[in-house]
Amino acid sequence: MAQHYGLPTRLLDWTELPFVAAFFAVCERPGGDGTLCALSAGRLNTETVGMNGVVDPVSGPAYPLFQRPFDDGVPESDRVVAVVAHEVDARMMVQRAAFTIHGASAPPLEDLPNTEGFLMRFDVPAKAKEDIWKGLVRFGVRWSSIFPDLENLSRDIAEMSFPPD
């Protein structure tokens, strides 16, 4: 939940839904270029921890990464692990949240060995963002569908345009 509400963590948010990924690629830095990344979580884990598939955060190779901030006896790690998200919040459910957790000394994903086997990047030029945004809205992807609360519903309504009477 901390990550979803803006608290810095060693988690990186992912989604299982391409439209949600596109939403974040176009809504952040509206005047600048964006990036949409696709991750094969199973292949990442095969490379980093020798296990195919997404792992549970409370057991196996990911657990020490979650335990480290609370226990100085756990050594720092240079691992990156894709973990299954336990849906504890409506945002996580509607965004089909997934996460990677990064050890304090872990390199960025793009610097890991064999990156081409698990990570793809797509550039989103700034000039294309408005058209992509309009397409997403037509498909029902908007602020209130990604962040289901009254604040974002109000934001969507305020941004709507209606024909004059």
Side-chain angles (χ1 to χ4, degrees), residues 75-91:
E76 283 293 352
S77 175
D78 63 353
R79 289 184 167 180
V80 178
V81 183
V83 296
V84 65
H86 296 286
E87 294 174 356
V88 295
D89 184 75
R91 288 183 179 185

Side-chain angles (χ1 to χ4, degrees), residues 16-33:
E16 297 175 1
L17 302 172
F19 282 166
V20 173
F23 172 90
F24 285 109
V26 301
C27 78
E28 298 193 358
R29 294 186 18 233
D33 293 341

Side-chain angles (χ1 to χ4, degrees), residues 1 8-9 35 37 44 52-53 62-63 86 88 111 114-115 117 119 123 126 132 136-137 146-147 163 165:
M1 279 184 48
T9 71
T35 302
C37 294
L44 168 69
N52 188 17
Y63 184 66
H86 296 286
V88 295
D111 293 343
N114 303 317
T115 301
L119 183 67
D123 294 326
I132 294 170
L136 289 169
V137 169
I146 301 296
F147 301 101
D165 290 336

Side-chain angles (χ1 to χ4, degrees), residues 92-117:
M92 294 175 72
M93 181 182 66
V94 299
Q95 294 174 20
R96 296 285 297 272
F99 298 95
T100 49
I101 184 164
H102 301 250
S105 58
L109 280 174
E110 57 270 14
D111 293 343
L112 291 172
N114 303 317
T115 301
E116 66 282 347

Side-chain angles (χ1 to χ4, degrees), residues 123-136:
D123 294 326
V124 181
K127 63 184 178 187
K129 285 185 170 183
E130 185 176 349
D131 287 338
I132 294 170
W133 178 261
K134 288 176 183 176
L136 289 169

